[in-house]
Amino acid sequence: MIAVLTSLIPADIASPRALTHLAPNLLELDLLHTSLTSDVLSDDVSDRSWQYINGLNLGQVFRAKVEAFTNASSRSWMRDQGVIPKAIACLPFVQSFWIKCGHRGLISMSISPQPYTSTRDGWASGISHKLDGSLSAGQYLNICHYPANKLLAANEVVSTTGAGDTVSGSLVAGLTSLQSSSSAKSGPGSKSEQAEVEGFVKVAMERAERSIRSRRAVG
């Protein structure tokens, strides 16, 4: 996996990432971060990775937004586990992240022409930062947290095996549909597109809940 990711990093750091979406869980994100920031990478890959991160110019204003976002009691675990810095460190290799966080829900991170705007009665929450560096200037780094629909009681949990795969499969179906939907014609990151994203993320979580209640690996 790591060898494939490092081979896909563009020679021109301003080019789009070849891998458009990745959906690790928190443990997998830790492993990705450790591997993609390790000394075993070639000097060329390390240099291009550093140039990409540096080119985003994520300075004090961005750090203040992240600090305020993760200081909320319901999101302090993101700060404690360093979730956002780890995902940012992997952005040179992947265009968009969908981080599966178990009972804490899902985090998305992507660079978009439009800022994030919540569209579902405050269910999801996020931050947007307008990029002004040498890369992606005028675009936005969007980070969004989709909380789990509800916490299941202990007697409702039958098996967690396959719940993450259920989320991943639902995300693939939703993203594929989004590519051909009429709302996509209004532009990447448009409000109508964001509404569709929140819709299929909610479906993904509902299906994961059904899987957890089921004896099947994927319900």
Side-chain angles (χ1 to χ4, degrees), residues 10-212:
D12 178 0
I13 60 170
S15 298
R17 310 298 94 180
L19 183 60
T20 53
H21 298 280
L22 194 65
N25 59 34
L26 288 171
L27 176 59
E28 291 164 343
L29 177 65
D30 284 343
L31 294 173
L32 278 171
H33 174 259
T34 298
S35 299
L36 294 175
T37 58
S38 70
D39 293 335
V40 301
L41 297 182
S42 70
D43 290 342
D44 178 56
V45 170
S46 295
D47 287 346
R48 277 184 279 163
S49 175
W50 179 85
Q51 289 173 25
Y52 183 85
I53 295 295
N54 191 54
L56 295 177
N57 194 29
L58 301 174
Q60 183 177 355
V61 173
F62 173 73
R63 291 193 293 271
K65 288 180 180 180
V66 171
E67 182 177 0
F69 185 63
T70 58
N71 274 346
S73 58
S74 61
R75 294 186 293 272
S76 60
W77 56 275
M78 295 184 199
R79 177 197 62 217
D80 297 341
Q81 298 184 39
V83 176
I84 292 176
K86 288 174 184 175
I88 288 173
C90 298
L91 278 179
F93 305 90
V94 184
Q95 182 174 317
S96 300
F97 273 99
W98 303 85
I99 305 165
K100 298 173 290 189
C101 306
H103 68 281
R104 291 174 170 139
L106 185 78
I107 298 171
S108 68
M109 177 183 290
S110 63
I111 294 176
S112 169
Q114 300 292 333
Y116 165 78
T117 303
S118 179
T119 57
R120 273 187 175 264
D121 302 325
W123 166 58
S125 54
I127 56 175
S128 287
H129 180 69
K130 190 171 185 178
L131 300 172
D132 60 0
S134 59
L135 294 176
S136 306
Q139 298 198 73
Y140 295 83
L141 176 57
N142 294 328
I143 301 168
C144 183
H145 177 223
Y146 305 90
N149 292 333
K150 72 171 190 173
L151 294 178
L152 299 178
N155 61 357
E156 293 181 279
V157 177
V158 176
S159 174
T160 58
T161 301
D165 293 333
T166 300
V167 171
S168 297
S170 296
L171 290 175
V172 169
L175 288 166
T176 301
S177 175
L178 189 63
Q179 288 293 320
S180 58
S181 70
S182 58
S183 69
K185 296 178 182 177
S186 45
S190 65
K191 189 167 184 178
S192 55
E193 181 176 302
Q194 290 179 22
E196 281 201 50
V197 170
E198 291 196 12
F200 69 66
V201 167
K202 200 170 189 70
V203 169
M205 291 186 177
E206 290 169 350
R207 290 175 177 171
E209 289 171 8
R210 291 204 301 268
S211 177
I212 291 170

